[in-house]
Structures are given as structure tokens and as C-alpha cells.
Amino acid sequence: MLNTRYLLLLLLIMGTSCYNPPRDCKAFKEGTFRFTAIIDGKEQTTTFERYNNQEIDYFEGKADTSSVRWINDCEYIVKKLRPRDAAEEKSIHMKILTTTDSSYTFEYGLVGSSNKSKGTAIKVN
């Protein structure tokens, strides 16, 4: 009887540890989004529009255009079309981790880097 309890508990733990939250990444391939992050201790909001293979970011009154290359439905590479310096020439790998009806949580970092950050984008329309 005691072994049966341990076996059931073990099966329950194994079953829940493999759980992957559902992702509907296709719903976020295009549209207008808002992303808020802490930059130099201040909360900053970026709005961006993503259509086809292009993304336009609006930050502090300036627009910046990037190309978007989808690796699969949940991962893509962003590269600025008109970088202003060497740092902006580097591509960024984006990976959608989870989705809701109106937002997605993602992980991002420079291509090839193990240093990743996380954020949440809210779909505006």
C-alpha cells in the first residue's frame, strides 16, 4: 500500500513536470504591440508594428525599422535596417515562450549569446 502511494506520487510529479504551456505564436506574427522595460532605472515603453518580414519600433518619438526572419512559428531574428553604430548592427534572437489571448512572454538576446532577458509584449490591435 505504501509503495503504491509513492508510485502514484512519482507518476503525478513526472506528468506535471513535462507540462508545456500552450502557445499560439501565429496570432502574434503581425500586429501592433507594446513592451515596457526598465532602462537605466526608468520604466520605458516601446510600441512596435510587425507586418510580413518587417518591424517598426517607436521609442522616444523616433521610428526604427528592422527586418524580421522567422525561424519557426515561435522564434525569429530581428536586424536593424539602418544601424547607427556597431552595437545596433548585431541581430537579436527572439523566442516566444508563452501566450495569452492578448499578450506573449518572450526571451531575447544577441544572436550567439547565452545572455538572455525576458519581457512581455501586449497586443494593442
Side-chain angles (χ1 to χ4, degrees):
M1 179 91 164
L2 189 57
N3 286 339
T4 305
R5 285 186 186 175
Y6 285 124
L7 181 60
L8 287 174
L9 181 62
L10 180 62
L11 289 173
L12 179 65
I13 291 171
M14 287 176 51
T16 58
S17 67
C18 297
Y19 172 74
N20 286 326
R23 295 186 295 177
D24 181 15
C25 300
K26 288 181 182 180
F28 298 98
K29 281 191 162 188
E30 294 188 346
T32 303
F33 305 89
R34 187 175 60 242
F35 168 61
T36 302
I38 305 297
I39 301 171
D40 297 328
K42 290 173 48 179
E43 188 173 271
Q44 302 281 337
T45 299
T46 300
T47 301
F48 58 97
E49 298 172 359
R50 187 167 48 239
Y51 297 100
N52 298 318
N53 295 321
Q54 192 173 51
E55 186 172 285
I56 303 170
D57 298 303
Y58 301 96
F59 181 69
E60 293 184 337
K62 297 176 186 172
D64 204 359
T65 306
S66 300
S67 66
V68 174
R69 182 176 55 87
W70 288 90
I71 299 169
N72 58 48
D73 286 340
C74 296
E75 294 182 67
Y76 59 99
I77 305 292
V78 178
K79 183 168 179 66
K80 291 198 184 270
L81 294 179
R82 292 177 217 65
R84 291 176 224 143
D85 56 36
E88 287 188 356
E89 289 181 8
K90 297 178 180 178
S91 298
I92 299 173
H93 178 246
M94 311 288 282
K95 181 178 182 180
I96 298 173
L97 303 172
T98 61
T99 64
T100 67
D101 290 343
S102 61
S103 68
Y104 65 92
T105 300
F106 61 99
E107 178 181 80
Y108 62 99
L110 295 175
V111 171
S113 172
S114 60
N115 188 15
K116 305 284 184 192
S117 298
K118 286 187 180 178
T120 300
I122 299 167
K123 191 167 189 177
V124 178
N125 70 22

